[in-house]
Tab-separated table of all heavy atoms in Angstrom:
chain	number	residue	atom	x	y	z
F	157	ALA	N	-173.390	2.008	-191.197
F	157	ALA	CA	-172.160	1.253	-190.951
F	157	ALA	C	-172.299	0.285	-189.781
F	157	ALA	O	-171.365	0.069	-189.011
F	157	ALA	CB	-170.995	2.220	-190.718
F	210	ALA	N	-173.530	-1.641	-169.843
F	210	ALA	CA	-174.954	-1.567	-170.184
F	210	ALA	C	-175.610	-2.930	-169.983
F	210	ALA	O	-176.730	-3.023	-169.473
F	210	ALA	CB	-175.111	-1.098	-171.628
F	221	GLU	N	-182.591	-4.080	-155.931
F	221	GLU	CA	-183.964	-3.873	-155.503
F	221	GLU	C	-184.517	-5.113	-154.795
F	221	GLU	O	-185.141	-5.021	-153.739
F	221	GLU	CB	-184.799	-3.550	-156.732
F	221	GLU	CG	-186.177	-3.032	-156.405
F	221	GLU	CD	-186.824	-2.414	-157.631
F	221	GLU	OE1	-186.177	-1.544	-158.259
F	221	GLU	OE2	-187.933	-2.828	-157.972
F	251	GLU	N	-152.926	-18.463	-149.297
F	251	GLU	CA	-153.288	-18.701	-150.697
F	251	GLU	C	-154.211	-17.603	-151.238
F	251	GLU	O	-155.053	-17.067	-150.501
F	251	GLU	CB	-154.000	-20.059	-150.819
F	251	GLU	CG	-154.275	-20.471	-152.261
F	251	GLU	CD	-155.068	-21.784	-152.376
F	251	GLU	OE1	-155.723	-22.178	-151.384
F	251	GLU	OE2	-155.031	-22.381	-153.466
F	263	HIS	N	-159.338	-8.196	-167.612
F	263	HIS	CA	-158.064	-8.522	-166.969
F	263	HIS	C	-157.574	-7.337	-166.152
F	263	HIS	O	-156.850	-6.481	-166.657
F	263	HIS	CB	-157.049	-8.929	-168.027
F	263	HIS	CG	-157.506	-10.096	-168.862
F	263	HIS	ND1	-156.826	-10.553	-169.949
F	263	HIS	CD2	-158.595	-10.913	-168.733
F	263	HIS	CE1	-157.459	-11.599	-170.472
F	263	HIS	NE2	-158.543	-11.816	-169.750
F	264	GLY	N	-158.014	-7.283	-164.925
F	264	GLY	CA	-157.745	-6.127	-164.072
F	264	GLY	C	-156.277	-5.991	-163.702
F	264	GLY	O	-155.601	-6.978	-163.424
F	275	ALA	N	-147.509	-13.162	-154.295
F	275	ALA	CA	-146.414	-14.117	-154.490
F	275	ALA	C	-145.160	-13.626	-153.753
F	275	ALA	O	-144.484	-14.407	-153.064
F	275	ALA	CB	-146.137	-14.303	-155.979
F	283	GLU	N	-154.401	-19.567	-159.766
F	283	GLU	CA	-155.309	-19.091	-160.808
F	283	GLU	C	-155.999	-20.322	-161.367
F	283	GLU	O	-155.395	-21.083	-162.132
F	283	GLU	CB	-154.531	-18.345	-161.898
F	283	GLU	CG	-153.937	-17.031	-161.410
F	283	GLU	CD	-153.262	-16.249	-162.518
F	283	GLU	OE1	-153.978	-15.631	-163.332
F	283	GLU	OE2	-152.019	-16.282	-162.590
F	288	VAL	N	-169.650	-22.203	-158.215
F	288	VAL	CA	-170.421	-21.601	-157.125
F	288	VAL	C	-170.408	-22.524	-155.910
F	288	VAL	O	-170.251	-22.078	-154.770
F	288	VAL	CB	-171.862	-21.299	-157.580
F	288	VAL	CG1	-172.753	-20.967	-156.390
F	288	VAL	CG2	-171.860	-20.146	-158.581
F	306	ALA	N	-160.587	1.824	-158.772
F	306	ALA	CA	-161.290	2.849	-157.995
F	306	ALA	C	-161.165	2.614	-156.500
F	306	ALA	O	-160.811	3.515	-155.748
F	306	ALA	CB	-162.756	2.908	-158.405
Side-chain angles (χ1 to χ4, degrees):
E221 192 166 308
E251 187 184 20
H263 303 173
E283 292 184 77
V288 167

